[in-house]
């Protein structure tokens, strides 16, 4: 933490992900949730790293309002060059799980921190982890998809939920696989001249009753 007692800009989490919200709440941070609704279609021949970085930067810029600082992230699973985002339906989830079963894949997360004013600044970076999945038969895949857990997860599994049953090993940061690499977040705050733990407590311009809640303010 810094010793500077100047009021901090309110912190906005530009994501509707409950997992990212829970990770920030676990640090005790004061923030509000304001998801950015953007077209997440990859550009032609766009590689995983540039793709998630582009979306993270765009989400942070879209969600932030004057005087605020916005944190955004985008995560994708990659196997054999294919970007595996959130499944479109049950069949797509089953297809993804069958594809990653018994193999190692990569999890890419682009993270961006954008300060709107008085001098707009953005810091962004990429985190990559490797995950090895256990072999899965068709019956197990159908059971897991039927729980509903895979349906809003990149790669169709949740390492922090029932999906942990199938994750044999992780190389890299665990919170990156969840969807928000916390050490990376810390580094971005430092890059912009702050400490992430500065947002613990009451200096961040966020009312206690609003912490972790979704903002109804309109995007710029």
């Amino acid at each position: 933490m810094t010793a500077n007692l100047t009021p901090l800009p309110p912190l906005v989490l530009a994501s509707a992900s409950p997992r990212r919200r829970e990770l920030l709440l676990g640090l005790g941070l004061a923030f509000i949730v304001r998801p950015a609704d953007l077209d997440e279609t990859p550009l032609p021949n766009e590689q995983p790293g540039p793709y998630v970085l582009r979306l993270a930067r765009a989400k942070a810029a879209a969600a932030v309002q004057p005087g605020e600082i916005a944190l955004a992230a985008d995560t994708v699973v990659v196997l054999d060059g294919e970007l595996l985002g959130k499944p479109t339906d049950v069949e797509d989830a089953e297809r993804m799980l069958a594809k990653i079963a018994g193999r190692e894949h990569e999890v890419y997360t682009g993270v961006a921190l954008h300060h709107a004013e008085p001098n707009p600044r953005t810091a962004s970076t990429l985190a990559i982890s490797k995950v090895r999945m256990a072999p899965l038969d068709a019956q197990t895949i159908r059971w897991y998809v039927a729980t509903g857990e895979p349906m809003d997860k990149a790669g169709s599994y949740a390492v922090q939920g029932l999906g942990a049953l199938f994750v044999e090993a992780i190389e890299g940061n665990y919170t990156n696989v969840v969807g928000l690499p916390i050490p990376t977040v810390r580094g971005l705050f430092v890059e912009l001249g702050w400490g992430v733990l500065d947002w613990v407590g009451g200096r961040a311009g966020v009312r206690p009753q609003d912490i972790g809640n979704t903002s109804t303010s309109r995007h710029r």
Side-chain angles (χ1 to χ4, degrees):
M1 283 186 163
T2 66
N4 186 357
L5 297 182
T6 303
L8 296 167
L11 175 61
V12 174
L13 174 62
S15 173
S17 166
R19 281 77 59 189
R20 294 183 180 126
R21 176 179 175 273
E22 289 164 5
L23 285 170
L24 294 187
L25 287 174
L27 296 176
L29 304 189
F31 66 98
I32 56 177
V33 177
R34 188 183 302 136
D37 186 16
L38 302 177
D39 180 2
E40 299 188 8
T41 305
L43 301 176
N45 302 315
E46 191 170 25
Q47 296 300 303
Y51 168 66
V52 293
L53 276 173
R54 174 177 64 83
L55 287 183
R57 292 166 181 154
K59 290 176 180 179
V64 77
Q65 295 182 356
E68 296 177 337
I69 185 168
L71 174 66
D74 194 80
T75 300
V76 68
V77 168
V78 181
L79 181 66
D80 297 335
E82 181 182 359
L83 277 62
L84 304 178
K86 298 174 184 178
T88 56
D89 52 30
V90 167
E91 289 74 20
D92 194 33
E94 292 178 351
R95 178 191 68 84
M96 288 188 195
L97 288 165
K99 187 176 182 68
I100 65 177
R103 300 186 61 190
E104 182 178 270
H105 62 265
E106 294 179 315
V107 177
Y108 285 71
T109 301
V111 188
L113 190 65
H114 182 76
H115 185 210
E117 293 182 353
N119 300 308
R121 296 179 296 157
T122 301
S124 61
T125 192
L126 177 68
I128 305 174
S129 300
K130 294 182 179 180
V131 179
R132 187 175 73 243
M133 299 293 284
L136 301 172
D137 59 29
Q139 181 178 357
T140 301
I141 289 174
R142 287 195 297 270
W143 169 82
Y144 182 46
V145 172
T147 69
E149 183 177 90
M151 300 313 297
D152 64 341
K153 315 294 190 304
S156 300
Y157 74 94
V159 68
Q160 75 284 0
L162 292 171
L165 293 168
F166 316 126
V167 174
E168 292 187 334
I170 296 174
E171 179 182 333
N173 185 262
Y174 167 81
T175 57
N176 180 50
V177 183
V178 176
L180 187 65
I182 294 302
T184 299
V185 170
R186 174 183 177 273
L188 294 182
F189 275 89
V190 170
E191 186 175 339
L192 291 188
W194 287 301
V196 65
L197 295 185
D198 290 346
W199 272 260
V200 175
R203 290 201 296 122
V206 178
R207 299 179 304 171
Q209 63 268 33
D210 292 335
I211 293 175
N213 290 330
T214 301
S215 168
T216 56
S217 301
R218 296 183 61 184
H219 301 168
R220 282 199 302 173

